Amino acid sequence: MNTRKLVYLFFSTLLIGASSGAVIGILLDTDTYFGGGFLNFFFGLLWMFGVSAAISLVAQMGYFAYLTLQRLALGLFKSVTLWNRIQVVLILFVLFDLVYLRYISFAEAGETLAGYMVMPLLLLAYSAVIAFWKRRETNKETFVPALFFMFVVTTIEWVPALTVDVVNDTKWLWIYVTPLLAANTWQLLLLHRLTGDGRKKVS
């Protein structure tokens, strides 16, 4: 990995994350952006692009933090299998927390636990698809780390939105998660291409 590739990874991730968040933000609030003329749309788009860019920076920090954790854990446990099992346990723990803690924090009268399971399960399903894609392009040992990164790390990065009452269950919950998912997906599927790892090792 040379400097040129790092710069490409940084700016391409920034652009993809910022663009995805801006598009979703506009689609979720078309009246605000299209109801006040061109200047209103332009500055609204610019503002949303900037917010999404900041969120994508969080995704980049999270990815490199996970890469560091991955190497440290493999060195500590001396076994890919053991570390993968620990990650599976953590995935299940985060899934439970993402459902139950949001339910007890934000549920109103008449709401059921099932209603708070939809979003976490969709996130898990999406993460599994991306992890399978990563596995297909590299090797079978990358599936669990990729699933852990896409689900657990994305959830951790999403926490600022998940824990704020005025953000929960609003368009901002989706505006926040969209650049995270876009940036994390791009980083995960791009890195082995840039490093040339392919099917050689876990990355």
Side-chain angles (χ1 to χ4, degrees):
M1 176 72 79
N2 55 36
T3 302
R4 181 178 61 84
K5 291 179 179 179
L6 280 174
V7 170
Y8 174 73
L9 177 62
F10 174 80
F11 283 105
S12 62
T13 302
L14 186 68
L15 180 61
I16 288 173
S19 300
S20 63
V23 170
I24 291 299
I26 291 173
L27 292 178
L28 291 178
D29 196 7
T30 54
D31 292 340
T32 298
Y33 289 95
F34 293 103
F38 175 76
L39 287 179
N40 178 72
F41 173 79
F42 176 77
F43 286 110
L45 176 62
L46 192 63
W47 177 74
M48 185 59 66
F49 189 88
V51 171
S52 300
I55 296 171
S56 71
L57 288 175
V58 174
Q60 294 194 57
M61 290 187 289
Y63 187 47
F64 284 99
Y66 175 69
L67 290 177
T68 302
L69 172 65
Q70 175 78 352
R71 295 306 176 188
L72 289 174
L74 289 174
L76 176 63
F77 296 114
K78 307 295 184 181
S79 169
V80 172
T81 301
L82 176 59
W83 172 230
N84 281 350
R85 288 174 179 172
I86 293 172
Q87 289 183 99
V88 169
V89 172
L90 292 174
I91 289 169
L92 295 175
F93 179 77
V94 171
L95 176 62
F96 172 80
D97 283 350
L98 194 54
V99 174
Y100 186 68
L101 292 183
R102 289 188 67 245
Y103 173 72
I104 63 174
S105 297
F106 302 115
E108 299 177 354
E111 289 187 313
T112 64
L113 186 63
Y116 285 83
M117 294 177 64
V118 175
M119 182 181 63
L121 291 177
L122 287 176
L123 177 58
L124 183 62
Y126 176 82
S127 300
V129 170
I130 300 303
F132 179 78
W133 192 349
K134 176 77 171 181
R135 177 186 183 275
R136 188 179 63 179
E137 294 190 354
T138 54
N139 60 73
K140 63 181 182 180
E141 292 177 344
T142 61
F143 179 81
V144 173
L147 180 62
F148 180 91
F149 170 71
M150 288 302 302
F151 185 72
V152 175
V153 177
T154 299
T155 299
I156 293 172
E157 295 165 347
W158 201 12
V159 163
L162 292 172
T163 56
V164 178
D165 192 22
V166 295
V167 173
N168 186 66
D169 289 332
T170 68
K171 63 180 182 180
W172 280 101
L173 201 62
W174 300 104
I175 291 172
Y176 199 101
V177 77
T178 299
L180 290 178
L181 285 175
N184 284 340
T185 300
W186 175 252
Q187 293 177 109
L188 187 68
L189 297 179
L190 178 65
L191 185 61
H192 63 269
R193 294 184 174 93
L194 293 179
T195 58
D197 283 350
R199 294 183 175 273
K200 295 178 183 178
K201 60 183 180 179
V202 178
S203 61

